[in-house]
């Protein structure tokens, strides 16, 4: 039996292309693993009404980790229109499979390292070495939403909140409500994960991102929990920043930041900003990590217009593979892979279109694979 069982979830669009690239580097690394293909993506929504079929959920219960490519998603009406005839009008609603996986498997840590590699023409500045910890299961992603708003809910809110008066005359269809739900447990554990990471990796500072001056209840709770956790890590500086301000400060003084931790939506936004500072879509990698399962992915979408062309930059996915190897405690292979990526970027001869070159997805993967040298075990 192989040492590791890995769920292989290409999805659709360029998800398939970048996982082809991942196979090339994994093969070169000779990882002792069995790869199990899982059905996931837009086609399964159209044909079965479920982009994350139950059989794939079962498969994920059996694997040690999974590698996920990307999935197309469309607004509600467009999604409904693409369902096969017999599923149309049956009340099915499309929900993002990655968000579902995060919630179903309690993958509460979204880890997004953003490191600039020397020689990348897309670097905003060098060096940048930021790590974003994004809460991954709650907040505005809780999925508790109302459109139209039921009268019962509007009545209750009218009774409980004076501020609701401003909306109380809206008809059910004239407004919508999305609940931001943050728990003490959820906030505590993501901040703890960020501090523990900082401690393990010799990082000096953790910046807590919030908007507690306005969003007092939920972000206030997040900040309270963060302060409490920080007390347990006296060797690490704790810093607090409003989410709006930090987007400016990050661009102005990226060196002032190190590890960042944020509730789900702010983490989503801030991690895109950080990814852009180290090269953008082709470089943003992500780990969705729980206690027993972790799903690794590039943060880019499925870019249907490039599907199957092997045009896009696979480095984000290759770096996601590196993160997966770390999670599987294959640290030598993880380091070897990151070194190979850094060397190819520094060398500059193989560049995909986003980097100003003409190399294909597979050229880039092969260039990285060719550079992999695994240090002999001591
Ligand atoms: C991400 C993406 C997802 C998110 C989308 C695809 C649902 O933007 O992983 O950052 O919002 O979390
Ligand atoms: Mg995002």
């Amino acid at each position: 039996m192989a040492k590791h069982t890995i769920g292989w979830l290409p999805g659709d669009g360029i998800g398939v292309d970048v996982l082809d690239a991942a196979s090339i580097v994994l093969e070169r690394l000779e990882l002792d693993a069995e790869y199990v293909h899982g059905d996931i993506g837009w086609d399964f929504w159209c044909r079965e009404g479920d982009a994350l079929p139950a059989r794939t959920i079962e498969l994920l219960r059996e694997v040690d980790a999974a590698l996920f490519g990307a999935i197309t998603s469309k607004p509600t009406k467009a999604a409904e229109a693409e369902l096969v005839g017999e599923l149309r009008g049956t009340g099915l609603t499309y929900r993002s499979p990655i968000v579902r996986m995060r919630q179903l498997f309690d993958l509460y840590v979204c880890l997004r390292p953003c490191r600039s590699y020397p020689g990348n023409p897309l670097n905003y500045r060098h060096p940048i070495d930021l790590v974003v910890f994004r809460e991954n299961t709650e907040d505005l992603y809780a999925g508790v939403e109302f459109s139209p708003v039921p009268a019962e809910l509007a009545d209750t809110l009218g009774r409980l909140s004076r501020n609701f008066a401003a909306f109380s005359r809206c008809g059910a269809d004239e407004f919508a409500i999305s609940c931001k739900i943050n728990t003490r447990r959820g906030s505590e554990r993501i901040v703890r994960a960020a501090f523990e990471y900082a401690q393990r990796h010799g990082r000096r500072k953790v910046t807590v991102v919030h908007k507690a001056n306005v969003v007092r209840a939920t972000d206030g709770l997040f900040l309270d929990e963060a302060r409490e956790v920080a007390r347990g890590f006296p060797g690490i500086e704790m810093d607090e920043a409003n989410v709006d301000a930090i987007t400016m400060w990050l661009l102005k003084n990226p060196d002032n930041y190190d590890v960042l931790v944020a509730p789900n939506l702010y983490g989503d936004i801030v991690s895109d900003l950080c990814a852009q500072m180290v090269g953008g879509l082709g470089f943003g990698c992500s780990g969705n990590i729980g206690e027993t399962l972790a799903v690794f992915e590039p943060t880019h979408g499925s870019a249907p217009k490039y599907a199957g062309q092997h045009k896009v930059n696979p480095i984000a996915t290759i770096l996601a593979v590196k993160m997966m190897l770390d999670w599987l405690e294959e640290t030598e292979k993880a380091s070897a892979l990151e070194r190979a990526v850094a060397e190819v970027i520094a060398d500059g001869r193989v560049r995909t279109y986003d980097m100003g070159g003409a190399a294909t997805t597979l050229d880039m993967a092969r260039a990285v694979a060719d550079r992999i040298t695994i240090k002999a075990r001591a």
Side-chain angles (χ1 to χ4, degrees):
M1 219 180 101
K3 187 168 166 202
H4 310 290
T5 309
I6 295 172
W8 196 257
L9 312 174
D12 55 58
I14 58 162
V16 179
D17 304 33
V18 293
L19 257 58
D20 287 345
S23 317
I24 292 175
V25 298
L26 280 163
E27 197 169 307
R28 173 66 186 84
L29 284 163
E30 295 179 355
L31 185 69
D32 183 3
E34 184 196 346
Y35 301 93
V36 202
H37 177 96
D39 290 340
I40 188 168
W42 190 248
D43 280 355
F44 301 95
W45 161 256
C46 299
R47 279 190 267 138
E48 303 177 18
D50 193 351
L52 176 62
R55 59 187 176 279
T56 306
I57 296 171
E58 286 314 308
L59 175 156
L60 287 170
R61 291 191 207 289
E62 305 301 321
V63 301
D64 303 314
L67 194 63
F68 169 64
I71 285 184
T72 304
S73 62
K74 299 189 182 176
T76 310
K77 285 194 182 115
E80 162 91 19
E82 290 197 28
L83 283 171
V84 289
E86 67 265 27
L87 292 177
R88 252 174 265 154
T90 57
L92 291 169
T93 44
Y94 184 84
R95 278 200 74 201
S96 159
I98 184 66
V99 173
R100 281 179 64 204
M101 281 191 274
R102 291 168 182 164
Q103 292 175 342
L104 273 168
F105 292 96
D106 203 21
L107 308 176
Y108 64 94
V109 172
C110 184
L111 174 58
R112 295 188 158 172
C114 297
R115 172 177 292 173
S116 60
Y117 295 94
N120 183 354
L122 298 171
N123 280 341
Y124 168 66
R125 271 187 216 169
H126 181 75
I128 285 182
D129 187 7
L130 299 163
V131 181
V132 180
F133 276 76
R134 164 189 180 190
E135 198 290 320
N136 219 16
T137 59
E138 47 186 52
D139 194 60
L140 267 164
Y141 283 67
V144 182
E145 305 197 277
F146 303 91
S147 174
V149 178
E152 196 184 344
L153 178 62
D155 290 347
T156 306
L157 288 172
R159 270 201 316 280
L160 298 181
S161 166
R162 208 179 298 158
N163 294 337
F164 191 75
F167 308 100
S168 59
R169 266 185 233 101
C170 291
D173 268 328
E174 287 167 349
F175 69 146
I177 295 179
S178 299
C179 298
K180 173 166 156 78
I181 305 179
N182 301 72
T183 64
R184 289 205 181 276
R185 173 172 175 263
S187 307
E188 196 270 346
R189 64 184 179 168
I190 188 65
V191 177
R192 182 169 300 284
F195 273 91
E196 282 173 353
Y197 177 98
Q199 196 164 53
R200 241 187 354 266
H201 293 88
R203 300 269 179 163
R204 65 196 149 89
K205 173 165 153 183
V206 174
T207 301
V208 180
V209 180
H210 65 90
K211 187 74 189 180
N213 57 339
V214 177
V215 189
R216 291 173 187 281
T218 46
D219 287 1
L221 177 148
F222 190 85
L223 196 52
D224 280 353
E225 290 302 313
R227 288 175 181 161
E228 189 57 39
V229 170
R231 271 194 274 280
F233 295 84
I236 296 165
E237 186 189 340
M238 187 232 192
D239 174 35
E240 301 172 7
N242 278 312
V243 62
D244 51 343
I246 204 172
T247 58
M248 289 200 286
W249 293 336
L250 268 169
L251 279 182
K252 190 164 175 235
N253 298 318
D255 297 347
N256 287 354
Y257 299 95
D258 191 348
V259 176
L260 302 150
V261 62
N264 208 336
L265 183 65
Y266 308 149
D268 180 39
I269 295 166
V270 166
S271 61
D272 268 16
L273 174 63
C274 293
Q276 187 56 45
M277 291 197 285
V278 297
L281 291 176
F283 296 84
C285 56
S286 183
N288 303 278
I289 303 171
E291 296 298 340
T292 55
L293 175 69
V295 178
F296 298 87
E297 50 162 344
T299 53
H300 59 66
S302 69
K305 70 174 175 186
Y306 292 136
Q309 296 177 26
H310 288 118
K311 181 177 165 98
V312 299
N313 190 344
I315 289 180
T317 305
I318 293 173
L319 292 172
V321 170
K322 183 255 173 207
M323 294 179 76
M324 180 175 80
L325 293 167
D326 277 326
W327 156 263
L328 294 170
E329 295 179 354
E330 295 281 359
T331 46
E332 271 174 37
K333 291 187 196 300
S335 310
L337 183 55
E338 188 179 24
R339 273 198 311 274
V341 167
E343 283 179 26
V344 170
I345 294 174
D347 177 79
R349 274 175 298 180
V350 180
R351 287 180 171 172
T352 42
Y353 85 100
D354 55 322
M355 301 169 80
T360 67
T361 308
L362 303 182
D363 293 337
M364 178 60 96
R366 284 188 210 107
V368 171
D370 287 347
R371 292 267 184 172
I372 291 172
T373 48
I374 299 172
K375 288 189 183 138
R377 273 171 212 280

